[in-house]
Amino acid sequence: MGAQCVDCVQAGRRQDAGQRRQHRAVGYGARTFVGARLSNRLVVTPVLIALNVLVYGITAVEARSPLNNQVSDLFGAWVLWPLAVAGGEWWRLVTSGFLHFGPLHIAVNMFALWIIGRELEVALGKARYVALYAISLLGGGIMVYLFSAVNGPTAGASGAIYGLLGGMLIAVLRLKLNPGPVIGTIVLNLIITVSLPNISLYGHLGGLIVGALATAALVYAPAKHRVAWQVGALVLLVVALVGLYFYRDAQLANVVCSGAGAQMECSP
């Protein structure tokens, strides 16, 4: 009584395995706390690092100097120059996030991206992680456009990386873990930001705030229709950022159109 033959047990195991495969095929299976499929394979973070290094390499070759790569043509065409953005070159809000001033700048940023990104990519899943990175990058650029000097260049992946930091803080709070280390890291980095010259405070703050808001939309979305809630909230956040872009664009219209001198300043 109660004994099972070996063949029956093996058949049951095969049936269970088959059911698990069917569940995974239709979208069930192991999921993270935001609803993403569980995968420990890193793809997005290495690709982002490779893209940043590639762009830096191109600017260094064009400038014939790894230390003064900012004099390259590509750097001049992509750097975040608010007057140029107001003149219609809106893509600088995004492309500037792949530029860096010299080897130390890119080394520090890529190390931070690797340390933070590899954790969030697994937790959020690849698609949500890409969305968080992109929106944080845009948020940092928009904040610079809103508040920084109109005739100064800004570049670097720091806005997106600070967005990942903000996202990590929200994720830790959602999981009810100890937020002390993340908060300490954010505070320390903000102190460094305001203490050292030529670091974009607005870019860092913009990325941090927008990244935290985007992650909150991901981790606090209702379980029912979760993807729809997440996509809708991220779209609304992007729309708000685009609205701020047009608001600032209208503010700078008279500056850009005030004469030939202002137009000449639109290009670095």
PDB file of all heavy atoms in Angstrom, residues 122-148:
ATOM      1  N   VAL A 122      19.268  41.703 -13.964  1.00  0.00           N
ATOM      2  CA  VAL A 122      18.687  40.432 -13.517  1.00  0.00           C
ATOM      3  C   VAL A 122      17.356  40.664 -12.810  1.00  0.00           C
ATOM      4  O   VAL A 122      16.390  39.923 -13.021  1.00  0.00           O
ATOM      5  CB  VAL A 122      19.677  39.702 -12.580  1.00  0.00           C
ATOM      6  CG1 VAL A 122      19.019  38.473 -11.969  1.00  0.00           C
ATOM      7  CG2 VAL A 122      20.935  39.311 -13.344  1.00  0.00           C
ATOM      8  N   ALA A 123      17.292  41.698 -11.986  1.00  0.00           N
ATOM      9  CA  ALA A 123      16.082  41.943 -11.194  1.00  0.00           C
ATOM     10  C   ALA A 123      14.915  42.427 -12.046  1.00  0.00           C
ATOM     11  O   ALA A 123      13.768  42.017 -11.833  1.00  0.00           O
ATOM     12  CB  ALA A 123      16.382  42.966 -10.101  1.00  0.00           C
ATOM     13  N   LEU A 124      15.205  43.308 -13.004  1.00  0.00           N
ATOM     14  CA  LEU A 124      14.131  43.922 -13.789  1.00  0.00           C
ATOM     15  C   LEU A 124      13.835  43.186 -15.083  1.00  0.00           C
ATOM     16  O   LEU A 124      12.769  43.367 -15.669  1.00  0.00           O
ATOM     17  CB  LEU A 124      14.481  45.380 -14.109  1.00  0.00           C
ATOM     18  CG  LEU A 124      14.698  46.323 -12.922  1.00  0.00           C
ATOM     19  CD1 LEU A 124      15.015  47.723 -13.419  1.00  0.00           C
ATOM     20  CD2 LEU A 124      13.484  46.343 -12.007  1.00  0.00           C
ATOM     21  N   GLY A 125      14.770  42.401 -15.550  1.00  0.00           N
ATOM     22  CA  GLY A 125      14.614  41.808 -16.873  1.00  0.00           C
ATOM     23  C   GLY A 125      15.136  42.761 -17.931  1.00  0.00           C
ATOM     24  O   GLY A 125      15.240  43.971 -17.722  1.00  0.00           O
ATOM     25  N   LYS A 126      15.473  42.229 -19.079  1.00  0.00           N
ATOM     26  CA  LYS A 126      16.186  43.009 -20.090  1.00  0.00           C
ATOM     27  C   LYS A 126      15.367  44.179 -20.652  1.00  0.00           C
ATOM     28  O   LYS A 126      15.862  45.290 -20.788  1.00  0.00           O
ATOM     29  CB  LYS A 126      16.661  42.080 -21.204  1.00  0.00           C
ATOM     30  CG  LYS A 126      17.721  41.090 -20.715  1.00  0.00           C
ATOM     31  CD  LYS A 126      18.017  40.028 -21.737  1.00  0.00           C
ATOM     32  CE  LYS A 126      19.105  39.098 -21.203  1.00  0.00           C
ATOM     33  NZ  LYS A 126      18.768  38.500 -19.892  1.00  0.00           N
ATOM     34  N   ALA A 127      14.114  43.924 -20.998  1.00  0.00           N
ATOM     35  CA  ALA A 127      13.295  44.975 -21.606  1.00  0.00           C
ATOM     36  C   ALA A 127      13.061  46.127 -20.635  1.00  0.00           C
ATOM     37  O   ALA A 127      13.212  47.303 -20.995  1.00  0.00           O
ATOM     38  CB  ALA A 127      11.959  44.400 -22.078  1.00  0.00           C
ATOM     39  N   ARG A 128      12.696  45.816 -19.408  1.00  0.00           N
ATOM     40  CA  ARG A 128      12.441  46.867 -18.416  1.00  0.00           C
ATOM     41  C   ARG A 128      13.728  47.601 -18.050  1.00  0.00           C
ATOM     42  O   ARG A 128      13.726  48.800 -17.792  1.00  0.00           O
ATOM     43  CB  ARG A 128      11.789  46.259 -17.170  1.00  0.00           C
ATOM     44  CG  ARG A 128      10.364  45.739 -17.411  1.00  0.00           C
ATOM     45  CD  ARG A 128       9.883  44.897 -16.254  1.00  0.00           C
ATOM     46  NE  ARG A 128       8.508  44.442 -16.408  1.00  0.00           N
ATOM     47  CZ  ARG A 128       8.162  43.366 -17.120  1.00  0.00           C
ATOM     48  NH1 ARG A 128       9.106  42.644 -17.734  1.00  0.00           N
ATOM     49  NH2 ARG A 128       6.891  43.005 -17.218  1.00  0.00           N
ATOM     50  N   TYR A 129      14.821  46.870 -18.022  1.00  0.00           N
ATOM     51  CA  TYR A 129      16.115  47.482 -17.724  1.00  0.00           C
ATOM     52  C   TYR A 129      16.522  48.469 -18.818  1.00  0.00           C
ATOM     53  O   TYR A 129      16.991  49.583 -18.517  1.00  0.00           O
ATOM     54  CB  TYR A 129      17.152  46.371 -17.579  1.00  0.00           C
ATOM     55  CG  TYR A 129      18.575  46.837 -17.384  1.00  0.00           C
ATOM     56  CD1 TYR A 129      18.943  47.559 -16.261  1.00  0.00           C
ATOM     57  CD2 TYR A 129      19.553  46.528 -18.320  1.00  0.00           C
ATOM     58  CE1 TYR A 129      20.262  47.971 -16.077  1.00  0.00           C
ATOM     59  CE2 TYR A 129      20.864  46.924 -18.145  1.00  0.00           C
ATOM     60  CZ  TYR A 129      21.213  47.645 -17.025  1.00  0.00           C
ATOM     61  OH  TYR A 129      22.501  48.050 -16.848  1.00  0.00           O
ATOM     62  N   VAL A 130      16.332  48.101 -20.069  1.00  0.00           N
ATOM     63  CA  VAL A 130      16.615  49.010 -21.180  1.00  0.00           C
ATOM     64  C   VAL A 130      15.746  50.257 -21.077  1.00  0.00           C
ATOM     65  O   VAL A 130      16.214  51.386 -21.268  1.00  0.00           O
ATOM     66  CB  VAL A 130      16.388  48.315 -22.537  1.00  0.00           C
ATOM     67  CG1 VAL A 130      16.421  49.328 -23.685  1.00  0.00           C
ATOM     68  CG2 VAL A 130      17.451  47.249 -22.774  1.00  0.00           C
ATOM     69  N   ALA A 131      14.465  50.059 -20.769  1.00  0.00           N
ATOM     70  CA  ALA A 131      13.556  51.196 -20.630  1.00  0.00           C
ATOM     71  C   ALA A 131      14.008  52.123 -19.515  1.00  0.00           C
ATOM     72  O   ALA A 131      14.011  53.353 -19.672  1.00  0.00           O
ATOM     73  CB  ALA A 131      12.132  50.707 -20.371  1.00  0.00           C
ATOM     74  N   LEU A 132      14.410  51.560 -18.382  1.00  0.00           N
ATOM     75  CA  LEU A 132      14.877  52.374 -17.261  1.00  0.00           C
ATOM     76  C   LEU A 132      16.125  53.157 -17.644  1.00  0.00           C
ATOM     77  O   LEU A 132      16.224  54.357 -17.356  1.00  0.00           O
ATOM     78  CB  LEU A 132      15.178  51.480 -16.055  1.00  0.00           C
ATOM     79  CG  LEU A 132      15.870  52.155 -14.864  1.00  0.00           C
ATOM     80  CD1 LEU A 132      15.012  53.278 -14.299  1.00  0.00           C
ATOM     81  CD2 LEU A 132      16.201  51.124 -13.781  1.00  0.00           C
ATOM     82  N   TYR A 133      17.061  52.517 -18.288  1.00  0.00           N
ATOM     83  CA  TYR A 133      18.307  53.188 -18.686  1.00  0.00           C
ATOM     84  C   TYR A 133      18.007  54.332 -19.651  1.00  0.00           C
ATOM     85  O   TYR A 133      18.512  55.454 -19.486  1.00  0.00           O
ATOM     86  CB  TYR A 133      19.250  52.181 -19.331  1.00  0.00           C
ATOM     87  CG  TYR A 133      20.643  52.719 -19.596  1.00  0.00           C
ATOM     88  CD1 TYR A 133      21.650  52.544 -18.651  1.00  0.00           C
ATOM     89  CD2 TYR A 133      20.945  53.393 -20.774  1.00  0.00           C
ATOM     90  CE1 TYR A 133      22.927  53.034 -18.876  1.00  0.00           C
ATOM     91  CE2 TYR A 133      22.219  53.882 -21.003  1.00  0.00           C
ATOM     92  CZ  TYR A 133      23.206  53.706 -20.058  1.00  0.00           C
ATOM     93  OH  TYR A 133      24.468  54.199 -20.286  1.00  0.00           O
ATOM     94  N   ALA A 134      17.182  54.060 -20.665  1.00  0.00           N
ATOM     95  CA  ALA A 134      16.892  55.067 -21.686  1.00  0.00           C
ATOM     96  C   ALA A 134      16.145  56.263 -21.097  1.00  0.00           C
ATOM     97  O   ALA A 134      16.474  57.426 -21.399  1.00  0.00           O
ATOM     98  CB  ALA A 134      16.078  54.432 -22.816  1.00  0.00           C
ATOM     99  N   ILE A 135      15.153  55.999 -20.257  1.00  0.00           N
ATOM    100  CA  ILE A 135      14.376  57.092 -19.675  1.00  0.00           C
ATOM    101  C   ILE A 135      15.236  57.904 -18.710  1.00  0.00           C
ATOM    102  O   ILE A 135      15.127  59.135 -18.651  1.00  0.00           O
ATOM    103  CB  ILE A 135      13.120  56.541 -18.990  1.00  0.00           C
ATOM    104  CG1 ILE A 135      12.155  55.969 -20.037  1.00  0.00           C
ATOM    105  CG2 ILE A 135      12.412  57.620 -18.173  1.00  0.00           C
ATOM    106  CD1 ILE A 135      10.943  55.272 -19.447  1.00  0.00           C
ATOM    107  N   SER A 136      16.112  57.234 -17.960  1.00  0.00           N
ATOM    108  CA  SER A 136      17.001  57.949 -17.043  1.00  0.00           C
ATOM    109  C   SER A 136      17.976  58.832 -17.817  1.00  0.00           C
ATOM    110  O   SER A 136      18.248  59.975 -17.420  1.00  0.00           O
ATOM    111  CB  SER A 136      17.777  56.949 -16.183  1.00  0.00           C
ATOM    112  OG  SER A 136      16.920  56.173 -15.397  1.00  0.00           O
ATOM    113  N   LEU A 137      18.504  58.305 -18.916  1.00  0.00           N
ATOM    114  CA  LEU A 137      19.411  59.091 -19.753  1.00  0.00           C
ATOM    115  C   LEU A 137      18.702  60.344 -20.268  1.00  0.00           C
ATOM    116  O   LEU A 137      19.250  61.452 -20.218  1.00  0.00           O
ATOM    117  CB  LEU A 137      19.903  58.226 -20.907  1.00  0.00           C
ATOM    118  CG  LEU A 137      21.028  58.765 -21.801  1.00  0.00           C
ATOM    119  CD1 LEU A 137      21.800  57.597 -22.427  1.00  0.00           C
ATOM    120  CD2 LEU A 137      20.504  59.669 -22.894  1.00  0.00           C
ATOM    121  N   LEU A 138      17.471  60.157 -20.763  1.00  0.00           N
ATOM    122  CA  LEU A 138      16.692  61.290 -21.251  1.00  0.00           C
ATOM    123  C   LEU A 138      16.378  62.268 -20.128  1.00  0.00           C
ATOM    124  O   LEU A 138      16.449  63.489 -20.312  1.00  0.00           O
ATOM    125  CB  LEU A 138      15.400  60.791 -21.891  1.00  0.00           C
ATOM    126  CG  LEU A 138      14.461  61.865 -22.450  1.00  0.00           C
ATOM    127  CD1 LEU A 138      15.139  62.679 -23.551  1.00  0.00           C
ATOM    128  CD2 LEU A 138      13.169  61.228 -22.975  1.00  0.00           C
ATOM    129  N   GLY A 139      16.048  61.740 -18.945  1.00  0.00           N
ATOM    130  CA  GLY A 139      15.747  62.613 -17.810  1.00  0.00           C
ATOM    131  C   GLY A 139      16.923  63.472 -17.413  1.00  0.00           C
ATOM    132  O   GLY A 139      16.768  64.661 -17.119  1.00  0.00           O
ATOM    133  N   GLY A 140      18.121  62.888 -17.408  1.00  0.00           N
ATOM    134  CA  GLY A 140      19.314  63.671 -17.110  1.00  0.00           C
ATOM    135  C   GLY A 140      19.542  64.756 -18.140  1.00  0.00           C
ATOM    136  O   GLY A 140      19.870  65.908 -17.803  1.00  0.00           O
ATOM    137  N   GLY A 141      19.356  64.412 -19.419  1.00  0.00           N
ATOM    138  CA  GLY A 141      19.533  65.400 -20.475  1.00  0.00           C
ATOM    139  C   GLY A 141      18.525  66.539 -20.391  1.00  0.00           C
ATOM    140  O   GLY A 141      18.875  67.710 -20.582  1.00  0.00           O
ATOM    141  N   ILE A 142      17.279  66.196 -20.104  1.00  0.00           N
ATOM    142  CA  ILE A 142      16.239  67.221 -19.993  1.00  0.00           C
ATOM    143  C   ILE A 142      16.524  68.161 -18.823  1.00  0.00           C
ATOM    144  O   ILE A 142      16.347  69.390 -18.922  1.00  0.00           O
ATOM    145  CB  ILE A 142      14.849  66.569 -19.823  1.00  0.00           C
ATOM    146  CG1 ILE A 142      14.437  65.841 -21.100  1.00  0.00           C
ATOM    147  CG2 ILE A 142      13.807  67.610 -19.441  1.00  0.00           C
ATOM    148  CD1 ILE A 142      14.165  66.747 -22.284  1.00  0.00           C
ATOM    149  N   MET A 143      16.994  67.622 -17.700  1.00  0.00           N
ATOM    150  CA  MET A 143      17.304  68.461 -16.546  1.00  0.00           C
ATOM    151  C   MET A 143      18.448  69.425 -16.858  1.00  0.00           C
ATOM    152  O   MET A 143      18.406  70.592 -16.465  1.00  0.00           O
ATOM    153  CB  MET A 143      17.656  67.590 -15.347  1.00  0.00           C
ATOM    154  CG  MET A 143      17.868  68.374 -14.063  1.00  0.00           C
ATOM    155  SD  MET A 143      16.333  69.024 -13.359  1.00  0.00           S
ATOM    156  CE  MET A 143      15.695  67.570 -12.526  1.00  0.00           C
ATOM    157  N   VAL A 144      19.446  68.937 -17.572  1.00  0.00           N
ATOM    158  CA  VAL A 144      20.542  69.820 -17.998  1.00  0.00           C
ATOM    159  C   VAL A 144      19.999  70.908 -18.917  1.00  0.00           C
ATOM    160  O   VAL A 144      20.355  72.094 -18.788  1.00  0.00           O
ATOM    161  CB  VAL A 144      21.639  69.008 -18.711  1.00  0.00           C
ATOM    162  CG1 VAL A 144      22.656  69.934 -19.384  1.00  0.00           C
ATOM    163  CG2 VAL A 144      22.349  68.097 -17.719  1.00  0.00           C
ATOM    164  N   TYR A 145      19.150  70.530 -19.849  1.00  0.00           N
ATOM    165  CA  TYR A 145      18.575  71.494 -20.788  1.00  0.00           C
ATOM    166  C   TYR A 145      17.747  72.553 -20.062  1.00  0.00           C
ATOM    167  O   TYR A 145      17.745  73.731 -20.437  1.00  0.00           O
ATOM    168  CB  TYR A 145      17.711  70.732 -21.789  1.00  0.00           C
ATOM    169  CG  TYR A 145      17.184  71.559 -22.943  1.00  0.00           C
ATOM    170  CD1 TYR A 145      17.990  72.470 -23.612  1.00  0.00           C
ATOM    171  CD2 TYR A 145      15.869  71.406 -23.370  1.00  0.00           C
ATOM    172  CE1 TYR A 145      17.496  73.218 -24.676  1.00  0.00           C
ATOM    173  CE2 TYR A 145      15.368  72.132 -24.432  1.00  0.00           C
ATOM    174  CZ  TYR A 145      16.184  73.044 -25.076  1.00  0.00           C
ATOM    175  OH  TYR A 145      15.700  73.788 -26.135  1.00  0.00           O
ATOM    176  N   LEU A 146      17.076  72.142 -18.986  1.00  0.00           N
ATOM    177  CA  LEU A 146      16.225  73.072 -18.258  1.00  0.00           C
ATOM    178  C   LEU A 146      17.018  74.072 -17.410  1.00  0.00           C
ATOM    179  O   LEU A 146      16.654  75.257 -17.346  1.00  0.00           O
ATOM    180  CB  LEU A 146      15.277  72.290 -17.338  1.00  0.00           C
ATOM    181  CG  LEU A 146      14.073  71.612 -17.972  1.00  0.00           C
ATOM    182  CD1 LEU A 146      13.382  70.711 -16.964  1.00  0.00           C
ATOM    183  CD2 LEU A 146      13.091  72.651 -18.517  1.00  0.00           C
ATOM    184  N   PHE A 147      18.090  73.622 -16.773  1.00  0.00           N
ATOM    185  CA  PHE A 147      18.696  74.436 -15.730  1.00  0.00           C
ATOM    186  C   PHE A 147      20.173  74.789 -15.928  1.00  0.00           C
ATOM    187  O   PHE A 147      20.667  75.691 -15.252  1.00  0.00           O
ATOM    188  CB  PHE A 147      18.542  73.730 -14.371  1.00  0.00           C
ATOM    189  CG  PHE A 147      17.118  73.520 -13.959  1.00  0.00           C
ATOM    190  CD1 PHE A 147      16.565  72.246 -13.934  1.00  0.00           C
ATOM    191  CD2 PHE A 147      16.315  74.592 -13.603  1.00  0.00           C
ATOM    192  CE1 PHE A 147      15.250  72.042 -13.554  1.00  0.00           C
ATOM    193  CE2 PHE A 147      14.998  74.406 -13.223  1.00  0.00           C
ATOM    194  CZ  PHE A 147      14.461  73.129 -13.200  1.00  0.00           C
ATOM    195  N   SER A 148      20.874  74.091 -16.794  1.00  0.00           N
ATOM    196  CA  SER A 148      22.299  74.380 -16.956  1.00  0.00           C
ATOM    197  C   SER A 148      22.526  75.609 -17.824  1.00  0.00           C
ATOM    198  O   SER A 148      21.607  76.099 -18.490  1.00  0.00           O
ATOM    199  CB  SER A 148      23.023  73.174 -17.574  1.00  0.00           C
ATOM    200  OG  SER A 148      23.116  72.123 -16.648  1.00  0.00           O
TER     201      SER A 148
END
